[in-house]
Amino acid sequence: MLRNSYSFITSGPFSISCIFKPMSELKNISIIIPVFNESASLPALFSRLDKLMLPNGMNLKVVLVDDGSTDDSAHLIERYVTGKPACSAIFLSRNFGHAIALSAGISNIDSDADAAFIIDADLQDPPELLPQFVAKMEEGFDVVYGIRKNRKEGLLKKICYRFYYRLQKKFSNIHMPLDAGDFSLISKRVVKELNNLPEESRYLRGLRSWVGFKQAGIDYNRDERKSGSSKYSLRSLFKLAFNGIFNFSEFPIRFIGMVGFATILLSLVYIGVVIYKKLVFGTVPEGFTTLIFAIVLFSGVQLLSLGIIGEYILRIFFQVKQRPLFIVKSKITNGKINNE
Ligand code: UDP
Ligand code: MG
């Protein structure tokens, strides 16, 4: 077993492990790491990977996915991977985004891999937790995901994440664990099912829940990013958040229907009041301001509704194109360069 200085607690609704049949021992594990402009983090990552890969009874492989980095990351990856049979690298033709880079990684793991361990390149998810994830999977789970107990991030970001995950859970058609990111160990059959999903708009942690099987969470403290800055722009964070909601819920579109219905009811009541006042008191209500307010409010409601419908149409639009999820520029497989 590997040495490990990180504490963990098992939790989540699926944590009653004793009723599950233990899995056969996991030996071959591929570690998938998406990389986008991480030249500042890579040296530390490589040295921690080297320690993790010291003989430990497991057969670990590393699959680094360069997601179109524009800094020195691709060179650093090439240097690290070349000549190491346990390491592979995939260089994408441009920046496709974190979720797609992960998809590229899991569709390129060795055919004999028993499981894939997904971590970030910035070391926010400690790779040394792998033995705990493996031990949990051996209890009979197909997915073991990390639950972020303590985020070392700004207060505003923490509040937004907390609020978002709870909102998403309320809306979603499937059980998505709270505060769980992509940091996870997924079994061979989950990898296979994920690779078979044709979705263009990929929200991997959602698809991972959608796939099903037995899933369990492990609490961990999410470290601070050691170097560089987050590679998620505000725009890509919003895109991720929208994917999490619109890809797994029809609630927003139902909500529009409910708002429309409530508005009709409200206007019927109002018409009743106006007719009553006219007949009984002979007055009609005045109110230019109220009129303007009503027009502005309901124009807003209509535009918002159109936007929500648009989110679904956009997903159909991109899906029907049937473009490949990513394009591979070159590969280093088991330490050997292999240009496509
Ligand atoms: N990443 C990627 N492509 C992107 C953005 C990010 O491959 O377009 C990688 C990044 O290098 C890192 C992981 O995805 O390994 C998570 O990104 P980041 O740490 O910036 O996200 P955060 O932790 O801030 O949510
Ligand atoms: Mg990070």
Side-chain angles (χ1 to χ4, degrees), residues 6 49 67 183 210:
Y6 297 85
L49 285 177
D67 187 18
F183 184 37
W210 182 88

Side-chain angles (χ1 to χ4, degrees), residues 94-105:
R94 64 170 173 84
N95 177 242
F96 282 87
H98 181 199
I100 302 288
L102 281 178
S103 299

